[in-house]
């Protein structure tokens, strides 16, 4: 686009300069020629009025009087200047009989070289500035030696025409450059449209839409690239689906022995008082690991369900009620605060997924960040903003993206009971609802998870 604009500007500038040179020279030459003709005509009229018509030739013996110049003694030079034909000349002056005669102009304003050249018998002109006015001084010699006639003609009209021409050419160059930019933008858009489509589809695949494909396989320029990309995306989709099925199958197979172990552990813990003191601590450690194992299996089932293409089911959900029930139930106490304007907000949501988002965030605060300090619901952002605050040391800026990856943990998370899948599930479910999630710092210390969802008031 910039190249088109610069090319258009360059071409229009060259054309404008050439046009300016040709037209300005032509107009100036025409003005000078016209002024010279008018001055010559006035000089001829002045000469005729002063000397009259040339005397006819008489017989040979009186040949000395043929064409003689004899001024009429009854004619006033000043009156002759006044009676000259009306032209656009601003002033008329004549040097006659070693004396200057003028009506409005001052002979002293005429350049000395101009006066000398004209008195020597050569017509000439000069550009002058007289009284702040730009004029063209023109002088023509007369038949009597040493006599010269001068006029100066205003150039305001010519200057105005040239100024208008200059503005017009500059404006035309700018408009041409803008048109070049527009044409360049259109051309670049058309030329890069396939690459824009490729970027869009690649971004969709990167965000988890593995079924996104390019529709440019028949394009003569990008057909090979499109086919290779689509094949790669299809292979990736099959691989992810296979991994999801494998994780789901393993998780399902683990559920039965896990339930057996959990029931057995519950029975042992019910008779904990009957156990020897040396056995109680290992039993407690085994119970914690079994609970961690249970969470891992549940998280794997959740992720495999999403990776396997589970579309879920959408229903209208009152966000305040759902968040209050999920957060308070997970924390075992009232931790939810709902702003009055958020009480009526609803969302087309998968209730199970949304409950899992809230539960995982509260559980993460309870288990790894010193406890949940509060859950807030208010209107704003995309529609509704849900915040979950904890009492931990906060999350370092360099870890705030990594904690939402699978098995990703922050440096301050320690070695709690989590396995690093809870927040990854939260990010997937929030994205499924076309929402966003980010981590900030709570004003009074700790971390604040901020979830925005596209809700509306019913």
């Amino acid at each position: 686009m910039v190249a088109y604009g610069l090319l258009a500007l360059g071409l229009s500038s060259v054309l404008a300069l050439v046009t300016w040179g040709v037209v300005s020279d032509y107009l100036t030459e025409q003005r000078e020629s016209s002024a010279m003709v008018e001055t010559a005509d006035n000089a001829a009229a002045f000469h005729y009025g002063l000397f009259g018509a040339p005397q006819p030739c008489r017989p040979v013996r009186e040949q000395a009087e043929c064409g003689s110049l004899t001024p009429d003694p009854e004619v006033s030079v000043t009156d002759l200047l006044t009676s000259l034909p009306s032209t656009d000349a601003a002033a008329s002056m004549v040097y006659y009989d070693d004396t200057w005669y003028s009506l409005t102009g001052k002979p002293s304003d005429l350049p000395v070289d101009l006066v000398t050249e004209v008195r020597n018998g050569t017509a000439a002109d000069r550009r002058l500035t007289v009284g702040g006015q730009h004029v063209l001084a023109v002088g023509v010699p007369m038949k009597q030696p040493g006599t010269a006639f001068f006029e100066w003609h205003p150039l305001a009209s010519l200057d105005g025409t040239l100024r208008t021409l200059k503005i017009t050419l500059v404006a035309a160059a700018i408009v041409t450059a803008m048109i070049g930019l527009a044409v360049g933008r259109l051309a670049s858009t058309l030329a890069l449209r396939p690459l824009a489509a490729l970027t869009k589809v690649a971004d969709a695949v990167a965000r988890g839409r593995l079924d996104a494909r390019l529709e440019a396989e028949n394009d003569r320029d990008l057909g090979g690239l499109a086919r290779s990309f689509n094949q790669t995306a299809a292979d990736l989709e099959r691989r992810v689906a296979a991994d999801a099925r494998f994780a789901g199958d393993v998780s399902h197979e683990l559920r039965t022995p896990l339930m057996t172990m959990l029931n057995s552990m519950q029975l042992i813990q019910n008779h904990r008082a009957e156990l020897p003191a040396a056995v109680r601590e290992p039993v407690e450690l085994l119970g914690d690991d079994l609970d961690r194992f249970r969470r891992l299996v549940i998280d794997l089932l959740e992720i495999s369900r999403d990776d396997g293409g589970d579309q879920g089911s959408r229903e209208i959900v009152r966000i305040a009620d759902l968040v209050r029930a999920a957060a308070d139930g997970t924390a075992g106490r009232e931790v939810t605060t709902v702003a009055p304007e958020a009480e009526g907000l609803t969302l087309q949501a998968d209730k199970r997924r949304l409950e899992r988002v809230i539960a995982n965030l509260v559980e993460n605060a309870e288990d790894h960040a010193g406890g949940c300090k509060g859950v807030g619901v208010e209107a704003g952002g995309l529609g509704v903003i849900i915040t979950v605050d904890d009492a931990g040391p906060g999350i370092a800026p360099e870890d705030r993206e990594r904690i939402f990856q699978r098995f990703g943990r922050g440096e301050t998370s320690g070695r709690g009971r989590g396995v690093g899948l809870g927040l990854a599930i939260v990010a997937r479910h929030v994205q499924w609802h076309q929402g966003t999630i980010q981590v900030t710092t709570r004003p009074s210390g700790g971390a604040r998870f901020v979830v925005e969802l596209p809700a509306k008031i019913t």
Side-chain angles (χ1 to χ4, degrees):
M1 182 180 69
V2 173
Y4 268 89
L6 292 177
L7 178 61
L9 179 61
L11 292 177
S12 60
S13 299
V14 171
L15 181 60
L17 290 175
V18 172
T19 303
W20 166 259
V22 173
V23 175
S24 62
D25 288 347
Y26 175 78
L27 292 177
T28 302
E29 183 180 350
Q30 288 294 106
R31 185 69 181 98
E32 292 175 352
S33 176
S34 173
M36 185 66 73
V37 170
E38 291 181 2
T39 303
D41 289 344
N42 284 341
F46 177 84
H47 181 274
Y48 181 81
L50 182 62
F51 297 103
Q55 298 293 326
C57 291
R58 298 178 181 179
V60 176
R61 64 179 178 273
E62 299 178 358
Q63 223 171 24
E65 298 180 2
C66 181
S68 63
L69 298 175
T70 304
D72 188 346
E74 297 181 1
V75 176
S76 170
V77 174
T78 304
D79 292 341
L80 279 178
L81 290 176
T82 305
S83 65
L84 289 177
S86 176
T87 63
D88 65 351
S92 298
M93 292 161 283
V94 64
Y95 185 80
Y96 169 68
D97 197 17
D98 296 328
T99 304
W100 280 103
Y101 297 90
S102 66
L103 295 179
T104 56
K106 296 179 180 180
S108 59
D109 291 332
L110 293 173
V112 176
D113 62 327
L114 174 65
V115 175
T116 302
E117 184 176 356
V118 176
R119 288 184 61 192
N120 289 334
T122 303
D125 60 71
R126 298 286 190 278
R127 292 181 179 231
L128 307 174
T129 300
V130 180
Q133 184 181 17
H134 193 201
V135 299
L136 178 67
V138 180
V140 294
M142 300 179 66
K143 292 183 178 180
Q144 187 174 359
T147 305
F149 186 85
F150 298 89
E151 286 184 343
W152 58 52
H153 300 261
L155 296 177
S157 177
L158 176 63
D159 291 342
T161 301
L162 294 179
R163 189 181 307 110
T164 302
L165 175 63
K166 183 186 298 183
I167 294 174
T168 302
L169 291 176
V170 171
I174 295 175
V175 171
T176 303
M178 298 300 294
I179 294 175
L181 288 173
V183 173
R185 182 177 180 84
L186 177 61
S188 61
T189 300
L190 294 176
L192 298 179
R193 184 176 295 171
L195 294 180
L198 174 61
T199 302
K200 182 178 180 180
V201 174
D203 181 66
V205 172
R207 288 186 287 105
R209 284 189 50 204
L210 301 181
D211 59 339
R213 297 292 185 271
L214 276 173
E215 298 180 357
E217 292 190 1
N218 295 325
D219 188 279
R220 63 180 182 179
D221 298 320
L222 295 178
L225 176 61
R227 286 188 291 271
S228 298
F229 180 88
N230 289 342
Q231 182 63 40
T232 302
D235 293 341
L236 177 62
E237 184 179 17
R238 286 193 294 269
R239 180 64 179 271
V240 171
D243 291 345
R245 285 195 301 270
F246 175 77
D249 294 341
V250 171
S251 300
H252 279 290
E253 292 297 327
L254 290 176
R255 291 186 68 179
T256 300
L258 177 61
M259 292 303 298
T260 300
M261 287 187 288
L262 287 173
N263 291 333
S264 300
M265 178 54 64
Q266 184 64 44
L267 179 61
I268 293 174
Q269 288 179 343
N270 291 338
H271 296 277
R272 183 174 179 276
E274 303 175 10
L275 297 175
V279 179
R280 293 175 185 174
E281 184 176 357
V283 168
E284 291 178 358
L285 294 175
L286 180 60
D288 290 341
D289 284 341
L290 281 175
D291 185 61
R292 185 168 180 268
F293 188 35
R294 176 185 64 82
R295 294 188 181 189
L296 173 61
V297 171
I298 293 174
D299 288 343
L300 286 175
L301 283 173
E302 188 73 20
I303 288 180
S304 64
R305 183 183 292 115
D306 281 349
D307 289 344
D310 180 23
Q311 298 299 317
S313 59
R314 294 183 182 270
E315 57 182 300
I316 298 179
V317 176
R318 291 182 65 88
I319 299 176
D321 295 341
L322 184 144
V323 172
R324 190 181 288 114
D328 295 350
T330 302
R333 62 187 187 279
E334 292 186 4
V335 294
T336 306
T337 302
V338 180
E341 65 273 13
E343 286 287 353
L345 292 175
T346 61
L347 172 66
Q348 283 278 354
D350 185 322
K351 188 175 180 181
R352 178 187 62 80
R353 282 186 166 95
L354 195 53
E355 286 177 342
R356 191 64 186 274
V357 168
I358 305 303
N360 280 13
L361 290 176
V362 174
E363 193 174 84
N364 180 75
E366 290 286 304
D367 294 343
H368 308 293
C372 179
K373 300 299 293 183
V375 177
V377 182
E378 60 184 27
L382 297 175
V384 63
I385 299 176
I386 304 171
T387 59
V388 179
D389 296 337
D390 62 41
I395 299 175
E398 61 270 17
D399 292 333
R400 291 179 180 178
E401 293 292 334
R402 183 157 53 88
I403 60 173
F404 293 110
Q405 300 173 4
R406 296 182 184 183
F407 301 102
R409 296 186 181 185
E411 296 296 331
T412 60
S413 62
R415 296 183 55 85
R417 295 180 296 169
V419 294
L421 291 176
L423 293 181
I425 293 173
V426 168
R428 289 288 296 273
H429 288 353
V430 170
Q431 183 182 0
W432 189 89
H433 287 91
Q434 287 82 47
T436 63
I437 183 170
Q438 60 178 331
V439 185
T440 61
T441 301
R442 189 166 66 100
S444 56
R448 168 171 290 178
F449 288 81
V450 182
V451 177
E452 294 188 23
L453 298 172
K456 61 181 181 180
I457 298 178
T458 57

